[in-house]
Amino acid sequence: MRRGFKAEAERRAAAARALLDLDLIGKLCPWAYAAALDIVVVGADELDLPPVHAKQLLEHDADSWSGMTLDEDEIRLIVLNSSHGKKRQASTLMHELAHLLLEHVPASVNLSPSGLTLLSDYSADQEEEADWLGAALLLPEIALLRYRSNGLSFAEISDIFGVSEELCAWRCRMTGVEKRMAFRRR
């Protein structure tokens, strides 16, 4: 990850909350944020797919994908795997939004015979940045510190922010919030 990126991610999280008139520790709804950025978000179940393809995507291969982004000309669209729970969709949406916000360019792209983008892969560095920024947008460090200082558990914080308990624990660990809490308890 490039130098200074983690601090940049926290600034972007604060700016996103300001855009939506939220306080620094308020819950940021990923769908509202996408709408504020003029990005359309749909579930795969909302697409007009032939039943055989919908069944393949949402039942047979549901664990093989979480979301995808189309950023062509004037169209900015994110399709989420609607068979996943809302907490996972929130995380996926923020990850995809992070790629757009950071203007990431895929390292490789596969096209259909008609020229439609089917699959793109980002570099490991870009994926790490999107993971970090997406998580910071959902769970800013300042909020984690406040809520953990007030004695809230990962489960309670994850319920407040609409994310998984695992993501909350990861953010607390990776931002150093847990180390600061342990130091305060001594």
Side-chain angles (χ1 to χ4, degrees):
M1 200 173 314
R2 59 188 154 92
R3 183 172 173 79
F5 181 76
K6 292 177 181 180
E8 177 188 331
E10 295 301 326
R11 288 190 299 274
R12 285 178 180 255
R17 280 168 173 72
L19 175 70
L20 297 173
D21 292 323
L22 301 171
D23 64 33
L24 291 175
I25 65 167
K27 176 185 177 182
L28 190 153
C29 172
W31 288 266
Y33 186 45
L37 298 173
D38 293 322
I39 298 169
V40 177
V41 180
V42 297
D45 62 342
E46 298 174 68
L47 301 174
D48 189 23
L49 296 173
V52 67
H53 296 301
K55 187 172 183 148
Q56 187 67 39
L57 279 175
L58 298 172
E59 293 178 29
H60 300 302
D61 289 330
D63 292 333
S64 68
W65 74 286
S66 296
M68 61 183 160
T69 299
L70 174 64
D71 187 14
E72 299 281 336
D73 301 322
E74 301 295 317
I75 300 169
R76 293 172 62 177
L77 170 74
I78 296 175
V79 179
L80 298 175
N81 186 333
S82 47
S83 72
H84 292 167
K86 280 295 182 195
K87 289 181 176 185
R88 183 165 175 190
Q89 287 183 39
S91 182
T92 298
L93 177 50
M94 280 305 200
H95 178 91
E96 295 298 321
L97 286 172
H99 280 305
L100 290 171
L101 292 168
L102 296 167
E103 299 178 352
H104 285 164
V105 177
S108 66
V109 177
N110 297 315
L111 301 175
S112 72
S114 66
L116 179 67
T117 302
L118 295 176
L119 178 67
S120 60
D121 289 320
Y122 293 98
S123 70
D125 287 341
Q126 289 178 331
E127 287 295 343
E128 187 178 23
E129 284 183 355
D131 284 343
W132 192 272
L133 178 56
L137 287 162
L138 288 166
L139 294 164
E141 183 177 348
I142 189 171
L144 294 173
L145 194 54
R146 168 84 56 85
Y147 284 118
R148 292 294 285 152
S149 293
N150 289 338
L152 273 69
S153 69
F154 296 148
E156 291 167 320
I157 297 169
S158 69
D159 285 344
I160 290 168
F161 286 93
V163 300
S164 71
E165 193 172 332
E166 293 80 12
L167 179 61
C168 183
W170 180 81
R171 277 287 289 164
C172 285
R173 195 174 57 253
M174 298 304 290
T175 59
V177 166
E178 286 309 291
K179 283 186 180 181
R180 286 178 268 179
M181 298 306 302
F183 182 76
R184 286 180 182 178
R185 287 189 290 264
R186 291 183 194 172

